[in-house]
Amino acid sequence: MLAANSREHVDCVSRVVRNAERLPQAPVPSLIFDSWRRSMEQHHLDPGSLQGPRILTEPLLKECRERAELFMRIASEQVSQLHHRVRHADYCVMLTDAQGQTIDHRVDAAIRSDCRKAGLYLGTCWSEAEEGTCGVATVLTSQAAVTVHKRDHFRAAFINLTCSAAPIFDPQGNLLGVMDASALQSPDDRRSQHLVRQMVAQSAQAIENAFFMHSAARHWVLQAHSTPGYVDSQPDLLLAWDQEGRLQALNSKARQALRRRFGQVPVHIGEVFDLDALRAVTDQSVQQLQWLGETGVLHVRVNTPRRQPARALPHAQVDPRVEEHLRLAVRVKDRNLPVLVQGETGAGKEVFARQLHARSARRDGPFVAVNCAAIPENLIESELFGYVAGAFTGASSKGMTGLLQQAHGGTLFLDEIGDMPLALQTRLLRVMAEGEVAPLGAAKTQAVDIQVICASHRDLAALVNDGRFREDLYFRLGCARVTLPPLRERTDKLGLINRLLEQEARSCAITVGIGQAALEALLGYAWPGNVRQLRHVLAYACAVCEGGTIQLTDLPVEVRGERVEVEVEHSASPERQVLLDALVRHRWKPLPAAQALGISRATLYRRVKQLGIDMPGKHP
Ligand SMILES: Nc1ncnc2c1ncn2[C@@H]1O[C@H](COP(=O)(O)OP(=O)(O)OP(=O)(O)O)[C@@H](O)[C@H]1O
């Protein structure tokens, strides 16, 4: 039975949402009203519910905290400081991740138990879809600092709470989490919360800036404020750019300022400031700088990279996204769940799968790689499941152990899983569910203990829609989906170039370096064939360069940025595309590509030449 004030609240929410068009003015700010409406019409929540928020189980909370480990570490000091400033007014402080799950909190012992009852506790989930309008959820949807005051809350369970919260963004503009200060009691006038909201927003910005400085240590960083005295202690704007001047990171105020001034976020620092004027700014003192083409003056300091650029650390630097994917995938794999790796062809899916195996608990077991696209369809079944002697005409007299059995105790890597025939998908699903394999012609099944990593450069969801891939298998395999970034988007390009060059040079038994112009061309090229193409280009350059340095002229013309003279009819020909697709899918191996196309190897070579296809490793 609802108490009178709860019933009154439920009536008010229902009346306002249902009669919005007829009311001269909503009794709550429009942000809150929009959220009430979504809570009721989109999320179908009951405003009369008195239940507290959902609480994560212990293992799930642990996982969320581990995932946000760096964010929490950087934020921790500010969470404590904010709590110190508001605790005497009986506020507790919570930090949530980008899903609204509370991963850190501070509360005084005197109100801990009441806060816990009200849901202000570690592990509580505050998404709009589950809890309706509340402080954290409103920040998640509006991405701005807000106060959700008492009866602004959607559910009657929360109408005594007052929450002021603010978003925290990473240097790429993605939401990292939400900082929140909540009280169990507060004055009825919502204006009483103005100061607390300001404090929460300030703390959120301090965390954002600290996270920014941590992430941008390898770049040039400009810190700016309209008042010189605040440039170092509380910079408003933070911008970071790399050796080539490309903007790599912005704090949210800088992102907003650039959008306001230039209509969008520019790509290069030279679009934001005059480069000569910028070069004159040092890290020795705060100086004045003007926006490009504008009169407004900023007080700025420019810091040179605090960490050495990748050139000096080719081995240590790995793209943070790839490293993070790897870290999470190891955890998933060690729980015996499959991992699905997606990414463009040549992006390094197999390399990733091998690294994953090497870091997992099964590192001492076998790693068996199967390219489903490279095995002819009529052989896949026997290759995977094996067969007993005399199972079919032409079978070896000794029988054959299937790849699944070979992977027993280790990892089975199914590359190009999208090419697996439907009938085999069904059998694979059964193996994964039952942990048993039946070789062809065998009367008994064999137990197998395998972990599966799959990879595909195709859009598996689209294959499912087309009925070419089993939906249940897609969901089973894709417990954890990792999408590797294409080479053009990787931030460790320089490190990769150095590493691959070292390997190629070693295999040719030479010592080789790269000239500046060649390096710039390698860094600036879009790499449609990803790391595989980079490796081929470097192998070629190692082979042709003279004097121990790769020059621009040692690179293929398309990488140099020169126009490739391919006859239009060639480049646009559908046959050329079909040939290219087959070659790429079969890793440029002529025989399997020819077999897949149903032509002879000689015909394939002839058409490749006629259509002007440049086979890797066959540069003139
Ligand atoms: N991180 C890396 N370090 C060194 N070499 C790499 C890396 N990633 C990929 N490569 C190289 O790039 C090539 C392609 O890698 P890989 O086969 O793993 O890509 P893929 O995305 O699985 O390709 P496909 O889409 O054809 O299956 C290989 O020669 C591999 O050695």
Side-chain angles (χ1 to χ4, degrees):
M1 182 70 179
L2 285 181
N5 64 342
S6 297
R7 220 172 318 121
E8 197 186 304
H9 175 69
V10 172
D11 289 348
C12 169
V13 171
S14 310
R15 205 175 48 247
V16 170
V17 172
R18 295 219 172 90
N19 301 311
E21 277 74 34
R22 274 173 277 148
L23 290 176
Q25 200 186 356
V28 286
S30 59
L31 192 76
I32 300 293
F33 170 72
D34 290 343
S35 174
W36 278 8
R37 183 174 239 172
R38 284 194 301 272
S39 305
M40 189 170 274
E41 295 175 356
Q42 216 170 302
H43 309 310
H44 308 292
L45 297 176
D46 171 12
S49 162
L50 289 174
Q51 226 178 19
R54 180 168 66 91
I55 302 177
L56 293 174
T57 59
E58 208 38 54
L60 270 178
L61 174 62
K62 190 162 170 264
E63 197 169 315
C64 289
R65 285 165 64 96
E66 273 177 21
R67 205 188 297 246
E69 200 260 336
L70 177 65
F71 171 49
M72 279 175 55
R73 193 148 40 89
I74 290 176
S76 176
E77 178 57 27
Q78 279 299 326
V79 176
S80 297
Q81 276 191 26
L82 179 63
H83 181 235
H84 188 71
R85 290 159 78 190
V86 295
R87 58 190 288 201
H88 300 296
D90 284 344
Y91 280 83
C92 72
V93 173
M94 302 195 298
L95 181 75
T96 80
D97 62 14
Q99 282 70 48
Q101 301 170 136
T102 312
I103 50 175
D104 199 2
H105 95 318
R106 304 282 187 280
V107 58
D108 270 355
I111 56 168
R112 179 169 294 137
S113 157
D114 288 341
C115 282
R116 188 179 190 143
K117 278 187 214 136
L120 304 175
Y121 204 67
L122 207 56
T124 43
C125 308
W126 294 100
S127 73
E128 187 182 78
E130 288 180 284
E131 304 308 330
T133 315
C134 59
V136 172
T138 311
V139 171
L140 294 179
T141 52
S142 69
Q143 310 236 318
V146 296
T147 295
V148 174
H149 181 242
K150 296 188 151 189
R151 285 168 183 274
D152 292 347
H153 285 90
F154 179 77
R155 288 180 38 192
F158 306 132
I159 55 174
N160 291 324
L161 294 181
T162 291
C163 309
S164 289
I168 304 163
F169 295 95
D170 76 7
Q172 279 67 46
N174 306 309
L175 194 67
L176 279 168
V178 177
M179 184 80 146
D180 172 282
S182 293
L184 297 171
Q185 285 160 7
S186 63
D188 281 338
D189 188 343
R190 88 172 63 240
R191 284 174 302 178
S192 62
Q193 300 307 308
H194 184 74
L195 199 59
V196 175
R197 191 171 67 242
Q198 295 268 317
M199 287 200 262
V200 174
Q202 252 176 26
S203 298
Q205 194 185 349
I207 297 171
E208 192 174 302
N209 287 357
F211 197 87
F212 180 101
M213 295 310 270
H214 176 89
S215 319
R218 283 184 295 109
H219 300 309
W220 273 263
V221 173
L222 177 139
Q223 36 191 93
H225 201 282
S226 50
T227 312
Y230 290 100
V231 171
D232 292 321
S233 57
Q234 283 173 28
D236 249 353
L237 311 182
L238 290 172
L239 296 91
W241 60 95
D242 64 15
Q243 279 164 302
E244 281 80 37
R246 284 177 300 225
L247 280 171
Q248 295 291 354
L250 301 167
N251 70 349
S252 45
K253 286 202 172 167
R255 196 172 293 278
Q256 284 158 14
L258 295 188
R259 281 218 181 97
R260 239 186 350 259
R261 280 169 192 276
F262 303 103
Q264 57 182 14
V265 177
V267 176
H268 197 275
I269 189 71
E271 298 168 58
V272 183
F273 298 111
D274 175 78
L275 286 181
D276 288 332
L278 187 64
R279 272 186 214 109
V281 181
T282 65
D283 55 1
Q284 301 301 315
S285 62
V286 172
Q287 285 162 260
Q288 290 193 357
L289 190 66
Q290 266 188 337
W291 297 102
L292 197 67
E294 301 228 5
T295 45
V297 170
L298 283 171
H299 297 274
V300 304
R301 185 193 290 280
V302 173
N303 300 302
T304 49
R306 281 182 288 133
R307 266 190 248 145
Q308 285 295 309
R311 188 194 297 257
L313 288 170
H315 293 289
Q317 195 217 349
V318 173
D319 184 290
R321 272 177 301 174
V322 177
E323 183 55 40
E324 175 69 358
H325 284 327
L326 203 51
R327 209 175 60 77
L328 291 178
V330 168
R331 290 174 46 78
V332 171
K333 189 172 182 297
D334 283 350
R335 292 204 181 146
N336 248 334
L337 294 169
V339 176
L340 172 62
V341 189
Q342 295 188 282
E344 290 180 13
T345 184
K349 299 186 287 295
E350 181 166 346
V351 169
F352 182 89
R354 286 184 185 277
Q355 286 172 338
L356 185 51
H357 171 75
R359 285 205 200 175
S360 73
R362 297 194 163 220
R363 64 183 78 88
D364 295 323
F367 178 90
V368 176
V370 185
N371 186 336
C372 304
I375 307 177
E377 195 168 327
N378 55 346
L379 289 185
I380 295 191
E381 191 171 14
S382 54
E383 290 276 336
L384 275 180
F385 296 90
Y387 56 85
V388 294
F392 50 86
T393 320
S396 149
S397 59
K398 293 200 194 92
M400 192 184 82
T401 310
L403 293 163
L404 284 164
Q405 293 95 315
Q406 287 178 33
H408 181 63
T411 303
L412 179 72
F413 174 57
L414 295 169
D415 202 358
E416 297 310 347
I417 184 82
D419 288 77
M420 183 176 272
L422 270 172
L424 273 189
Q425 292 175 21
T426 310
R427 289 194 65 185
L428 179 65
L429 200 59
R430 208 169 315 131
V431 173
M432 292 179 69
E434 294 165 9
E436 283 179 347
V437 174
L440 297 180
K444 281 199 297 188
T445 55
Q446 296 170 5
V448 282
D449 170 27
I450 49 173
Q451 276 175 356
V452 178
I453 305 177
C454 297
S456 178
H457 73 274
R458 297 179 185 226
D459 182 352
L460 285 185
L463 292 183
V464 170
N465 279 341
D466 290 346
R468 286 189 289 154
F469 201 82
R470 286 187 62 131
E471 192 173 23
D472 42 5
L473 184 61
Y474 174 63
F475 287 119
R476 175 135 204 160
L477 294 176
C479 283
R481 275 173 230 162
V482 168
T483 302
L484 293 185
L487 178 56
R488 63 186 166 280
E489 283 173 25
R490 285 181 66 151
T491 53
D492 61 343
K493 236 189 277 175
L494 194 57
L496 254 178
I497 292 173
N498 280 326
R499 201 158 61 230
L500 291 178
L501 184 65
E502 219 173 86
Q503 287 169 11
E504 290 303 332
R506 210 177 310 126
S507 72
C508 307
I510 57 169
T511 315
V512 73
I514 311 183
Q516 189 59 32
L519 185 61
E520 273 169 21
L522 290 170
L523 287 170
Y525 183 57
W527 300 109
N530 291 298
V531 190
R532 177 180 295 114
Q533 188 190 8
L534 172 63
R535 187 185 271 287
H536 286 144
V537 165
L538 291 175
Y540 170 71
C542 278
V544 298
C545 78
E546 286 174 355
T549 303
I550 294 173
Q551 305 292 0
L552 195 57
T553 47
D554 299 323
L555 302 178
V557 278
E558 67 272 18
V559 179
R560 275 184 243 159
E562 292 170 18
R563 228 164 61 80
V564 191
E565 296 298 336
V566 179
E567 284 175 49
V568 176
E569 61 193 272
H570 282 173
S571 61
S573 142
E575 187 193 349
R576 189 175 192 274
Q577 199 50 53
V578 170
L579 261 179
L580 262 178
D581 281 353
L583 282 164
V584 167
R585 273 183 35 188
H586 294 280
R587 301 165 179 245
W588 297 95
K589 289 191 189 129
L591 186 59
Q595 279 171 344
L597 292 168
I599 57 176
S600 71
R601 186 153 51 164
T603 309
L604 179 123
Y605 275 130
R606 192 162 36 80
R607 296 305 290 150
V608 159
K609 197 160 168 228
Q610 285 167 350
L611 294 169
I613 294 174
D614 191 15
M615 300 266 281
K618 297 204 179 306
H619 290 292

